[in-house]
Amino acid sequence: MRVLIWVQHLLGTGHTVRAVAIARALHAQGASVMVVLGADPPATVDLSGLEIATLTPVAATDGSFRAIESADGVPYQTLAPRRTATLLTLFKTWQPRAILTETFPFGRRAFGAELIPLLEAAQAQGVLRAASIRDVLVRKSPAKEAAMVALARQHYQEVLVHADPQVVTLRESFGRADEIEDLTRYTGFVDAGAPVTHQDERAGVVVSVGGSGVGGALVRCAAKAAAISDPALQWTILLPPQLWAQRETVCGSVGANVSLEPNRADFRALLGAASLSISQAGYNTVLDVLSAGPRMIFVPFAAHEETEQSDRAAALAARALAQVMEEEGLTPAALAAAVAAALQQPLPKIPGFNHAGAAESARVLLRAV
């Protein structure tokens, strides 16, 4: 059975990480999978063994997501007809039995120009249409939420929510969740990371900001907080490629208790030995931290009216799993005080959450077909 997965990451790479994890689970359960990428594939994602097609790549120019362009500055609107034609050709020649769109129609709605023709062609041929969405959506106006529901009911048969309801539910960020309840399937979290061995003796603070370049303010603040914290407390600050290239400008000179490093492949193992994690609250980062089990301080990315990370962090704080500090107004003194207070607390009691969402997503799709 053939499944076509469409995914478009714009800034970070989490969307593609989830889509590829589901593709691998489908492959493991006997399906043939084509992953259609709307952006250049992330270097950190293993695509070996999968069929990959790439539309003319586009990405957001900054964290506002207002401008979506190719690498040479051509707006998406100009490229949409070409991408639509490519997508329809892939559909006709590959003839999938199911289509999975990542985020759309609950986000990425600018890409409706290419996806709605695909969905209409699929519906005409009786091909299963499913949407793949993370645990938390960016909050929208009632009118925009109503439009999302209308698109879902018109074009989709399944909505796969990659969350465990004991940790967070779709209703917490999407006011019209009840209107698609009959389509909704909770799969558990799509966790592409390796299992973690928790160390009996934990030490140090790990600071991380994911794979995009929007965490400069947090790492700058953390470097200054480390300078005024207990000098015996070791801080490891991990930087994505964009910030690593500018580390001297971003962090300045750091003390002997600070280690600046590029993002590490053994991130989870590092967290499994840490006393405290300080991070933003992206989907994959939260899974990494929950799996590793250190004390947690989340500083959610909240610029440009982004609500996703704030809502996810708030859900964890409400379950006594984490402390949340707002990005706006964050100071080194406040962060250093929060670190000192957090280290006086016991390790959090992490519930046995469902993180087998990739395999369950595959099972749901195959059963539905």
Side-chain angles (χ1 to χ4, degrees):
M1 194 191 80
R2 293 182 171 187
V3 180
L4 186 150
I5 299 176
W6 176 96
V7 58
Q8 174 72 58
H9 67 259
L10 292 175
L11 199 62
T13 60
H15 297 273
T16 300
V17 169
R18 281 192 299 276
V20 169
I22 293 169
R24 292 201 175 283
L26 281 162
H27 183 74
Q29 295 183 35
S32 297
V33 188
M34 175 178 284
V35 181
V36 181
L37 300 173
D40 289 322
T44 54
V45 177
D46 179 12
L47 301 175
S48 61
L50 298 174
E51 289 201 52
I52 303 295
T54 303
L55 305 176
T56 305
V58 295
T61 58
D62 58 35
S64 72
F65 300 98
R66 292 190 179 94
I68 300 172
E69 301 175 351
S70 65
D72 54 358
V74 180
Y76 168 72
Q77 293 84 345
T78 302
L79 299 170
R82 184 195 311 173
R83 287 177 42 126
T84 302
T86 301
L87 196 52
L88 289 175
T89 298
L90 288 170
F91 172 75
K92 291 174 184 176
T93 57
W94 208 65
Q95 298 184 338
R97 295 277 304 280
I99 289 175
L100 183 69
T101 61
E102 204 283 331
T103 299
F104 188 87
F106 300 94
R108 301 291 189 269
R109 290 197 302 139
F111 295 91
E114 64 193 53
L115 287 175
I116 289 176
L118 172 69
L119 294 165
E120 290 174 344
Q123 188 168 3
Q125 295 188 25
V127 174
L128 180 80
R129 289 93 56 209
S132 165
I133 60 176
R134 63 195 174 205
D135 54 340
V136 174
L137 299 179
V138 176
R139 292 183 181 272
K140 300 295 184 183
S141 68
K144 288 183 178 179
E145 285 194 344
M148 293 174 186
V149 168
L151 284 170
R153 300 216 67 90
Q154 181 178 358
H155 294 292
Y156 289 86
Q157 296 153 289
E158 304 279 347
V159 176
L160 309 186
V161 181
H162 304 311
D164 182 336
Q166 71 173 323
V167 178
V168 62
T169 65
L170 183 62
R171 187 174 290 106
E172 291 174 66
S173 62
F174 187 61
R176 294 179 178 266
D178 291 347
E179 297 178 34
I180 55 167
E181 188 172 9
D182 58 317
L183 305 179
T184 300
R185 310 284 180 267
Y186 281 94
T187 68
F189 291 102
V190 174
D191 188 353
V196 185
T197 300
H198 295 189
Q199 301 296 320
D200 293 333
E201 296 295 328
R202 290 177 176 262
V205 178
V206 175
V207 181
S208 61
V209 292
S212 70
V214 297
L218 175 54
V219 298
R220 185 179 300 109
C221 183
K224 293 179 179 178
I228 58 175
S229 69
D230 181 350
L233 180 64
Q234 184 65 37
W235 294 57
T236 301
I237 301 178
L238 303 179
L239 305 174
Q242 301 94 317
L243 296 179
W244 178 249
Q246 308 167 40
R247 57 191 178 277
E248 293 181 0
T249 302
V250 172
C251 296
S253 60
V254 296
N257 66 332
V258 176
S259 173
L260 292 180
E261 301 183 34
N263 281 352
R264 289 171 45 164
D266 64 344
F267 179 49
R268 283 197 174 186
L270 188 66
L271 289 173
S275 290
L276 173 66
S277 166
I278 302 171
S279 71
Q280 294 182 315
Y283 186 94
N284 292 323
T285 297
V286 165
L287 288 182
D288 289 332
V289 179
L290 286 174
S291 296
R295 301 164 184 86
M296 312 170 201
I297 296 176
F298 289 114
V299 184
F301 173 68
H304 308 294
E305 300 181 347
E306 286 291 309
T307 60
E308 170 222 338
Q309 292 196 14
S310 294
D311 283 346
R312 181 178 295 113
L316 295 172
R319 291 159 175 81
L321 295 175
Q323 179 181 346
V324 179
M325 301 186 73
E326 298 301 328
E327 188 176 50
E328 185 177 1
L330 184 68
T331 66
L335 184 58
V339 167
L343 291 173
Q344 297 302 311
Q345 301 300 314
L347 291 170
K349 295 182 178 180
I350 310 296
F353 63 92
N354 179 358
H355 59 108
E360 179 59 19
S361 297
R363 283 191 290 269
V364 169
L365 287 171
L366 296 178
R367 282 198 304 263
V369 172

